[in-house]
Amino acid sequence: MVRIANALGLVILSVALLILSLISYVSIKKDSIFSTPKYANSGGPRIMFHAGFRSQFAMNFLDPSFIPLTNALNEELQEKPSRWKFNKTAFIQQRKEIFNYIDVANNFSLTKNAVRVGQLMHYDYSSHKYVFSISNDFKSLLPDSSPILNKNYNVCAVVGNSGILTGSQCGSEIDRSDFVFRCNFAPTEVFHKDVGRKINLTTFNPSILEKYYNNLLTIQDRNNFFLSLKKLDRAILWIPAFFFHTSATVTRTLVDFFVEHKGQLKVQLAWPGNIMQYVNSQKKTRSNHPETIGGSLEIM
């Protein structure tokens, strides 16, 4: 009986491994067909499709009743736009709640006047013993004032990079927005029909330089990064350098690169300081007065 049980367990384990291998194999095939090579001319990380294909394929395989999110996007955002109505009351309340916790415009980025050379910056989510010393080069890259100070827009679009917009045909709708936020330096050219081309701001996690540009170790890596940045004509590159201490080396590499190419790129650099420490401290002071943030859209 023990031998039979062991054999049965081995069979079950083999089937599980086979299923996982199949999922991984199809995911890899999808990546090679639909995503750009690591050093393709379009540049940037190959993450627009990764999360979407892998998660949706797995869900389809494990749960036949699963409906991809792109279908829901098409139905709700394109076929039945009249169902959505702007909730002005909730919108005003939401803005009020956000401004209670943080001065968005002035905490959006460090500025030249807000720091001094030699100042030690700590990290929001690392031990207090880790510090980053503000250098002349770093300070020279800071804006004179917040890039979003006194800026207001009627229609904004926030576009993620998980791949759920694949097949949505939302590109033209996104590009009609007055201001487009994008995440993680995601490429747009190859996927413009679904995600649009317009970029007013994109976040840039320092780990992107490590994963997709080989820390700029070769001339080819540096050239690829430069060409990717050239596409951000007057857009804001928002670099959260002070979240984790592991970003310190990459941050220094970025600083050296931007100083070397000063005047050659039109991208606006924004480097938030300890923004999360500020938010958390504000939350603690207001913990005795919990408030709920309402949504700004309602379905009719």
Side-chain angles (χ1 to χ4, degrees), residues 1 4-5 18 31 43 82 86 91 108 112 131 147-148 150 154-155 157 164 169 205 220 249 252 269 275 287 299:
M1 290 297 293
I4 293 175
L18 180 61
D31 288 345
S82 61
F86 177 56
F91 170 75
F108 179 79
K112 285 185 174 69
V131 294
I148 62 170
N150 300 321
N154 291 323
V155 179
I164 62 172
Q169 299 292 307
N205 190 312
Q220 184 64 55
T249 300
R252 294 186 183 95
L269 300 178
I275 188 170
S287 60
I299 300 179

Side-chain angles (χ1 to χ4, degrees), residues 119-134 241-249 252 274 277:
Q119 179 179 339
L120 299 181
M121 298 291 298
H122 293 274
Y123 297 87
D124 286 330
Y125 297 110
S126 293
S127 169
H128 204 64
K129 68 180 180 180
Y130 296 105
V131 294
F132 181 94
S133 179
I134 300 294
F242 303 112
F243 280 19
F244 297 98
H245 73 276
T246 50
S247 301
T249 300
R252 294 186 183 95
N274 298 123
Q277 287 186 17

Side-chain angles (χ1 to χ4, degrees), residues 10-24:
L10 183 59
V11 170
I12 294 174
L13 177 61
S14 300
V15 172
L17 290 174
L18 180 61
I19 293 173
L20 291 174
S21 298
L22 176 62
I23 293 175
S24 298

Side-chain angles (χ1 to χ4, degrees), residues 6 10 13 18 22 42-43 73 81 92 96 110 121 132 135 157 161 179-180 185 205 227 254 261:
N6 289 338
L10 183 59
L13 177 61
L18 180 61
L22 176 62
S42 60
L73 278 171
I92 294 174
K96 179 182 176 183
L110 294 171
M121 298 291 298
F132 181 94
S135 64
N161 61 302
F179 196 96
V180 179
F185 208 49
N205 190 312
L227 292 177
L254 281 172
H261 294 88

Side-chain angles (χ1 to χ4, degrees), residues 20 27 32 102 104 152 163 168 180 208 217 263 293:
L20 291 174
S27 295
S32 64
I102 185 169
V104 177
N152 295 282
S168 68
V180 179
I208 291 172
L217 292 179
I293 297 178

Side-chain angles (χ1 to χ4, degrees), residues 28-40:
I28 292 171
K29 286 303 227 180
K30 295 273 188 190
D31 288 345
S32 64
I33 295 173
F34 294 101
S35 58
T36 56
K38 181 176 181 181
Y39 297 120

Side-chain angles (χ1 to χ4, degrees), residues 57-120:
F57 175 79
M59 287 302 295
N60 274 314
F61 187 89
L62 299 174
D63 182 5
S65 64
F66 171 72
I67 300 176
L69 184 55
T70 49
N71 289 351
L73 278 171
N74 283 333
E75 180 181 351
E76 298 296 336
L77 298 180
Q78 294 183 350
E79 296 177 10
K80 300 179 181 179
S82 61
R83 294 184 62 195
W84 294 90
K85 181 182 177 182
F86 177 56
N87 187 337
K88 186 174 181 179
T89 302
F91 170 75
I92 294 174
Q93 178 66 18
Q94 186 171 23
R95 281 176 60 90
K96 179 182 176 183
E97 294 299 325
I98 292 173
F99 291 146
N100 278 341
Y101 288 109
I102 185 169
D103 181 349
V104 177
N106 289 309
N107 284 275
F108 179 79
S109 175
L110 294 171
T111 58
K112 285 185 174 69
N113 292 331
V115 300
R116 67 181 187 280
V117 175
Q119 179 179 339
L120 299 181

